Amino acid sequence: MKKLFLFTAALSLMLFSCKKDSTNNGSTAHVTVKMTDAPGAFDAVILNIKSVIIVTDKGEQTLNVDGGAVDILRFRSGRDTVLADQDIPAGAIQQVRLVLNDSGNRVIVAGVSYDLTTPSGQTSGVKLNVHDKLTAGIAYTMRLDFDAAQSVVLTGNGKYILKPVIRAIATAASGALTGVVSPAASSPKVYAITGADTIGSTTDATGKYYFPGLAAGSYQVKFVPVSPYAIKTVTNISVTNGTVTDMGTVNITQ
């Protein structure tokens, strides 16, 4: 019992110093929206982005953008900028909308700044059709690939209009891990360990545990139950991006 107490205390201290506890929330996915750019023949293309709306079969979720106006030409050749970062209900994506503020959108050509009008961008948002699925417990990067050369149009009267050509691509950036312990009465603390990183969770009344947002890699999963049950470790559990790895039933013995 003394060894069990010391081991539990050491793991708890390691968890506190390394990582935050995971939760058993299996209904949301974490989405980070980033913007990148394909080059255009301009000095700058500045967009004052208000919000990103993600429409799924679970409804409409608004992700507010707090960073102010962005010169998207600064983010090209693989560089990007984070627009929004939020948990939303998991489900099938039907549409993404990029909503712009009424003012502050402009294009700079040969050192001269011009207002950039966006007929529908300020109200309902620039609509991007996306058909991807967000799996609960998985973190995703939603990359908005803006094509400046095709999106900024010079009219016959010398005005510039924004007719956005944007690709929206959702890419899984993490995996998840789940399983059930038997008996549920063993009530273990569960630790997913890879390298120097330790993430902790607990089981619910049915014995289920859940680790969302895990980096891809190989894990050992350690179960520290209440007395008189014995500690158990399962090794070589593989976690891959975009997948919920199910360990099935893990039997805890006395």
Side-chain angles (χ1 to χ4, degrees), residues 241-252:
N241 288 343
T243 301
V244 179
T245 300
D246 191 343
M247 292 179 60
T249 300
V250 176
N251 294 309
I252 306 294

Side-chain angles (χ1 to χ4, degrees), residues 162-177:
L162 180 66
K163 294 185 176 180
V165 177
I166 305 174
R167 290 191 310 150
I169 306 166
T171 305
S174 79
L177 180 65

Side-chain angles (χ1 to χ4, degrees), residues 35-40 42 45 47 72-73 96 98 100 116-121 125-129 143-153 161-169:
M35 177 167 278
T36 188
D37 173 57
F42 312 103
V45 176
L47 300 182
I72 63 170
L73 294 191
V96 176
L98 188 65
L100 304 178
L116 188 57
T117 58
T118 55
S120 63
V126 177
K127 297 177 178 64
L128 312 172
N129 291 321
R143 192 178 301 275
L144 305 182
D145 189 357
F146 187 96
D147 190 334
Q150 296 189 65
S151 298
V152 179
V153 178
I161 296 177
L162 180 66
K163 294 185 176 180
V165 177
I166 305 174
R167 290 191 310 150
I169 306 166

Side-chain angles (χ1 to χ4, degrees), residues 31 57 61 95 105 115 118 153 199 209 219:
V31 178
D57 58 354
Q61 306 296 321
Q95 192 176 78
N105 305 295
D115 288 336
T118 55
V153 178
I199 302 172
Y209 56 91
Y219 287 77

Side-chain angles (χ1 to χ4, degrees), residues 53-61 89 92 94-95:
I53 298 173
I54 299 179
V55 182
T56 73
D57 58 354
K58 299 298 190 299
E60 188 174 290
Q61 306 296 321
Q94 298 169 344
Q95 192 176 78

Side-chain angles (χ1 to χ4, degrees), residues 124-205:
S124 61
V126 177
K127 297 177 178 64
L128 312 172
N129 291 321
V130 182
H131 301 287
D132 281 305
K133 183 178 180 180
L134 302 178
T135 300
I138 305 296
Y140 291 85
T141 297
M142 174 75 70
R143 192 178 301 275
L144 305 182
D145 189 357
F146 187 96
D147 190 334
Q150 296 189 65
S151 298
V152 179
V153 178
L154 177 61
T155 66
N157 59 4
K159 293 183 178 181
Y160 285 89
I161 296 177
L162 180 66
K163 294 185 176 180
V165 177
I166 305 174
R167 290 191 310 150
I169 306 166
T171 305
S174 79
L177 180 65
T178 190
V180 177
V181 299
S182 179
S186 62
S187 301
K189 292 184 178 179
V190 188
Y191 300 91
I193 305 168
T194 180
D197 292 333
T198 299
I199 302 172
S201 185
T202 56
T203 57
D204 63 17

